[in-house]
Amino acid sequence: QVQLVESGGGLVQPGGSLRLSCTASAFTLNYTAIGWFRQAPGEDRDRKGVSCMTHWDGSTYYVDSVKGRFTISRDNAKNMVYLQMNSLKPEDTAVYYCITSPGTAQLMCNMGLVFGHWGQGTQVTVSA
């Protein structure tokens, strides 16, 4: 059973940073990609991912709006996936979810190809 738990969200001022964490079961890490999606207030969850990583080669994909500001990484020994978010903007305010995929990072993020159960997410609020 896929088990993913997000943490690390909070309230931060514009220009600030946060690091989100996703705790994954060892079984989860056997999927071919893992990534982050978000849901802004009052909106449906974005069908495209924010940032995704392919398991076997570490290739990454970022949505244009976060390129140069967000970095996805993983620690296989700890079964953790991270999203380092710098230079945060008010429009980054959302609930952030991690999820797995049977595809590549690009398929996952760009086409919304995901597999598994959505967790509770972690709230990120960027406000002065």
Side-chain angles (χ1 to χ4, degrees):
Q1 183 177 358
V2 174
Q3 295 182 340
L4 298 165
V5 179
E6 306 91 342
S7 63
L11 173 63
V12 63
Q13 293 185 343
S17 298
L18 282 174
R19 189 178 78 158
L20 306 184
S21 299
C22 175
T23 303
S25 66
F27 175 76
T28 301
L29 291 179
N30 288 330
Y31 281 88
T32 56
I34 192 164
W36 294 87
F37 286 66
R38 65 186 178 185
Q39 181 174 8
E43 298 182 8
D44 293 334
R45 184 164 43 226
D46 287 346
R47 299 189 68 178
K48 294 188 175 183
V50 174
S51 178
C52 302
M53 174 181 283
T54 304
H55 174 57
W56 68 82
D57 65 0
S59 60
T60 57
Y61 181 94
Y62 297 92
V63 69
D64 285 345
S65 61
V66 308
K67 284 180 180 177
R69 301 189 298 121
F70 290 12
T71 304
I72 188 171
S73 63
R74 65 189 296 169
D75 185 332
N76 289 340
K78 297 181 178 179
N79 294 339
M80 297 287 289
V81 176
Y82 304 100
L83 185 66
Q84 178 67 42
M85 305 187 297
N86 299 327
S87 303
L88 282 161
K89 304 176 180 180
E91 51 263 42
D92 295 318
T93 295
V95 178
Y96 285 71
Y97 303 87
C98 67
I99 191 95
T100 54
S101 171
T104 63
Q106 183 171 5
L107 282 174
M108 182 180 186
C109 260
N110 199 34
M111 304 298 292
L113 180 64
V114 300
F115 181 85
H117 300 286
W118 296 98
Q120 82 287 352
T122 185
Q123 175 71 50
V124 172
T125 302
V126 185
S127 175

